[in-house]
Amino acid sequence: MCAAIAAGLLIATFQASAQAADPHRLALQISDDDPVKMRAVLDVAANVSRHYSGQGDDVEIVVVAFNGGLDMLLDDRSPVKERLLNFLKSMPNVSFIACGNTLETLAAKEGRRPPLIAGISVTQVGVAALMDLAEKNWTIVRP
């Protein structure tokens, strides 16, 4: 009986430590061409990253941009370009994803595909990327 209890405690302890090792995961949506909202997204990413790092926890953060929010990630017009470049250099736990559909729409409208800031990933459908992350238990927030 004691061996069974000890084994159960050992398994429970292992499961708790395995759960504690899982990083926190946050996906931030930006879909508005509004510099205030873009800065808010970056503020949230920085605050959440600092919070969990201060507790010794890992956190993964991804910013998904589509519709008007894609301007945040465009090299030739991002109103938050300098701050975003600092994130890319100093916060490896924060990544940025651009919606390919929005890029194609802009390319058709402007006659060229607008350039993304270096280090930005592209997914075909931004909303589908958010749905996929939600289905993998990421927390989705639209600041």
Side-chain angles (χ1 to χ4, degrees):
M1 180 83 171
C2 285
I5 292 172
L9 287 174
L10 182 62
I11 290 169
T13 302
F14 175 75
Q15 288 173 335
S17 66
Q19 288 172 350
D22 286 345
H24 301 276
R25 292 182 174 96
L26 172 64
L28 298 167
Q29 171 187 329
I30 182 69
S31 55
D32 299 308
D33 182 12
D34 180 350
V36 172
K37 289 184 180 182
M38 293 174 189
R39 284 190 293 275
V41 164
L42 294 175
D43 289 344
V44 169
N47 291 338
V48 169
S49 182
R50 272 193 303 272
H51 172 77
Y52 285 112
S53 295
Q55 293 183 351
D57 289 349
D58 291 330
V59 62
E60 296 175 24
I61 301 169
V62 62
V63 176
V64 179
F66 58 94
N67 291 340
L70 189 71
D71 279 8
M72 177 180 182
L73 308 180
L74 297 179
D75 192 46
D76 61 351
R77 66 187 92 162
S78 173
V80 293
K81 182 177 178 179
E82 292 306 314
R83 189 162 178 217
L84 196 144
L85 289 170
N86 287 333
F87 266 78
L88 290 168
K89 288 179 193 170
S90 64
M91 299 184 80
N93 63 321
V94 180
S95 59
F96 298 86
I97 299 175
C99 174
N101 282 344
T102 303
L103 278 171
E104 290 172 17
T105 300
L106 287 174
K109 189 187 311 183
E110 298 175 10
R112 67 173 179 92
R113 181 176 166 153
L116 290 169
I117 294 170
I120 305 299
S121 300
V122 178
T123 188
Q124 187 57 45
V125 180
V127 173
L130 287 168
M131 291 173 65
D132 291 343
L133 292 170
E135 290 165 1
K136 294 175 184 167
N137 293 320
W138 283 62
T139 300
I140 311 296
V141 174
R142 181 180 182 200

